[in-house]
């Protein structure tokens, strides 16, 4: 129980420090707005999508319900992290500020997430069939 209190106290201290830094910013409303939008994207889009996919997998009788949900959590997290460069307006005055092709890299990350998810699910299904065949 002492560890929980210590972790809770540490979390409160970090939150207080973050609030202190937020108040010292010249335009704290912009950061607060960004944080609020992040919460709304999570609670309004990512979480319901993950829950719906889990419910559909359960209704379909799939055994690997956690695999697509984990892939959606990873894809959603990568998307939220990639939003600032993806939503930037037009070009920038300094080419070294955002030098990479962020939309292409985001698509590659999404494709890698999909391929790894499919590969993991396929390997698990193959191993299950193999074990069932060996038992016969």
């Amino acid at each position: 129980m002492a560890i929980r209190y210590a972790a809770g106290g540490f979390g409160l201290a970090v939150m207080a420090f973050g609030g202190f830094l937020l108040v010292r910013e010249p335009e704290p409303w912009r950061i607060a707005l960004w944080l609020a939008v992040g919460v709304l994207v999570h609670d309004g889009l990512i979480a319901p999508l993950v829950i719906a996919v889990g419910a559909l997998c359960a209704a379909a009788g799939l055994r690997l319900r956690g695999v697509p949900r984990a892939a959606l959590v990873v894809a959603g997290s990568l998307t939220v992290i990639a939003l600032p460069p993806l939503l930037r307006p037009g070009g920038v005055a300094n080419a070294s500020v955002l030098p990479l092709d962020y939309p292409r890299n985001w698509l590659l990350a999404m494709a890698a997430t999909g391929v790894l998810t499919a590969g993991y699910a396929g390997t698990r299904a193959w191993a299950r069939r193999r074990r069932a065949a060996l038992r016969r």
Side-chain angles (χ1 to χ4, degrees):
M1 193 61 130
I3 293 175
R4 284 187 178 184
Y5 286 129
F10 179 71
L12 287 174
V14 170
M15 285 174 45
F17 181 66
F20 171 73
L21 292 178
L22 178 65
V23 173
R24 291 185 56 207
E25 284 292 315
E27 294 179 344
W29 63 270
R30 297 182 86 188
I31 297 171
L33 177 65
W34 183 252
L35 291 172
V37 168
V39 169
L40 289 174
V41 166
H42 175 271
D43 292 350
L45 183 66
I46 296 173
L49 183 62
V50 170
I51 291 168
V53 167
L56 287 173
C57 289
L62 295 178
R63 300 177 105 186
L64 295 174
R65 285 174 268 199
V67 175
R69 289 187 299 186
L72 282 173
V73 168
V74 170
S77 299
L78 286 172
T79 300
V80 169
I81 290 169
L83 278 179
L86 291 176
L87 298 178
R88 72 182 165 153
V92 291
N94 184 354
S96 66
V97 172
L98 294 172
L100 303 175
D101 186 4
Y102 291 96
R104 178 190 59 116
N105 293 342
W106 174 77
L107 287 172
L108 287 172
M110 293 298 107
T113 302
V115 166
L116 289 171
T117 301
Y120 178 76
T123 302
R124 289 270 312 259
W126 174 80
R128 192 179 320 113
R129 283 193 304 267
R130 178 125 170 109
R131 273 181 278 167
L134 290 175
R135 287 185 203 146
R136 291 184 201 166

